[in-house]
């Protein structure tokens, strides 16, 4: 495995080993597809490394079973049977927020906020090694979740917990706080030629 060489080494008093094993805050943003896909690819690596995975989907419908969900639920079952990999928990707004007992029409803002509250509880308990907060930029953009609170909570999270956040229009405060930010920019897309999404590619 080639070893990358950093272009700058900060005078922070950390050893190379300590700095290398620092948990990361990662943001995948931009207008192009593939942000969630990249995050789930990262989660596959984390699962293989034995890091417990917690996925929180904030926008996708609770009724929409995406391909990655099926795959990661299967990986969770593999871990339960064989001990290989790590546990996987998958939560979707409207379904995954099972601690909410609310009748009537869905209150998406309240659901999103409660989802964030659960993430805060899980971070405090050091429940997962990797958190995938899928499309979490949107609740922040819409004012459902306070950006400053998110940044402060993630900055103060204990232990060894990586966090990856996906979605368009990432807030500048989140971008500034992150260790790694990738912006996906469209060059070409099948929809430009009138082709809609298809199974196995978009879901």
């Amino acid at each position: 495995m080639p070893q990358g060489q950093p272009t700058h080494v900060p005078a922070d008093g950390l050893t190379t080993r300590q700095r290398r094993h620092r948990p990361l805050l990662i943001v995948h943003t931009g207008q192009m597809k593939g942000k969630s896909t990249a995050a789930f690819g990262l989660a596959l690596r984390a699962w293989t490394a034995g890091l417990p995975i917690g996925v929180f989907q904030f926008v996708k419908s609770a009724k929409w079973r995406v391909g990655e969900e099926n795959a990661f639920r299967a990986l969770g079952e593999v871990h339960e049977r064989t001990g290989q990999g790590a546990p996987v928990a998958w939560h979707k707004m409207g379904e995954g927020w099972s601690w909410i007992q609310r009748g009537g029409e869905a209150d998406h803002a309240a659901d999103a906020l409660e989802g964030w509250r659960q993430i805060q509880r899980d971070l405090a308990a050091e429940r997962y090694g990797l958190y995938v907060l899928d499309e979490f930029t949107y609740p922040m953009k819409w004012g459902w979740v306070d950006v400053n609170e998110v940044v402060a909570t993630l900055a103060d999270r204990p232990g060894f917990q990586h966090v990856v956040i996906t979605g368009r229009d990432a807030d500048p405060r989140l971008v500034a706080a992150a260790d790694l930010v990738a912006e996906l920019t469209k060059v070409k897309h099948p929809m430009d030629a009138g082709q809609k999404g298809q199974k196995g590619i978009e879901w």
Side-chain angles (χ1 to χ4, degrees), residues 98-120:
S98 56
W99 46 88
I100 296 179
Q101 300 297 326
R102 183 184 296 116
E105 293 186 6
D107 184 338
H108 297 303
D111 286 353
L113 181 59
E114 178 55 30
W116 166 240
R117 293 287 177 250
Q118 182 61 39
I119 291 165
Q120 289 179 303

Side-chain angles (χ1 to χ4, degrees), residues 139-163:
M140 287 185 275
K141 178 181 178 181
W142 298 331
W144 296 352
V145 176
D146 183 77
V147 179
N148 290 326
E149 181 182 289
V150 170
V151 169
T153 298
L154 295 179
D156 293 338
R157 68 192 188 277
F160 188 80
Q161 302 181 94
H162 297 296
V163 178

Side-chain angles (χ1 to χ4, degrees), residues 70-97:
N70 292 333
F72 275 96
R73 288 189 186 277
L75 288 174
E77 293 173 3
V78 167
H79 173 73
E80 290 176 3
R81 289 197 319 270
T82 70
Q84 181 180 359
V88 177
W90 194 288
H91 306 285
K92 290 187 291 188
M93 188 170 69
E95 175 187 75
W97 307 164

Side-chain angles (χ1 to χ4, degrees), residues 20-88:
R20 182 177 185 182
H21 293 284
R22 186 171 55 87
L24 300 178
L25 171 57
I26 300 168
V27 175
H28 295 168
T29 192
Q31 302 302 307
M32 182 57 167
K33 72 185 300 293
K35 297 177 285 294
S36 298
T37 303
F40 292 131
L42 184 64
L44 282 175
R45 289 180 179 171
W47 184 87
T48 302
L51 297 179
I53 308 297
V55 178
F56 294 80
Q57 288 192 298
F58 278 85
V59 175
K60 292 184 174 70
S61 168
K63 297 179 181 178
W64 187 15
R65 184 63 63 89
V66 297
E68 293 95 340
E69 179 181 356
N70 292 333
F72 275 96
R73 288 189 186 277
L75 288 174
E77 293 173 3
V78 167
H79 173 73
E80 290 176 3
R81 289 197 319 270
T82 70
Q84 181 180 359
V88 177

Side-chain angles (χ1 to χ4, degrees), residues 109-146:
D111 286 353
L113 181 59
E114 178 55 30
W116 166 240
R117 293 287 177 250
Q118 182 61 39
I119 291 165
Q120 289 179 303
R121 291 189 286 268
D122 289 343
L123 287 167
E126 300 181 42
R127 193 172 309 279
Y128 304 113
L130 176 70
Y131 296 71
V132 178
L133 310 187
D134 190 34
E135 302 192 24
F136 189 44
T137 60
Y138 301 109
M140 287 185 275
K141 178 181 178 181
W142 298 331
W144 296 352
V145 176
D146 183 77

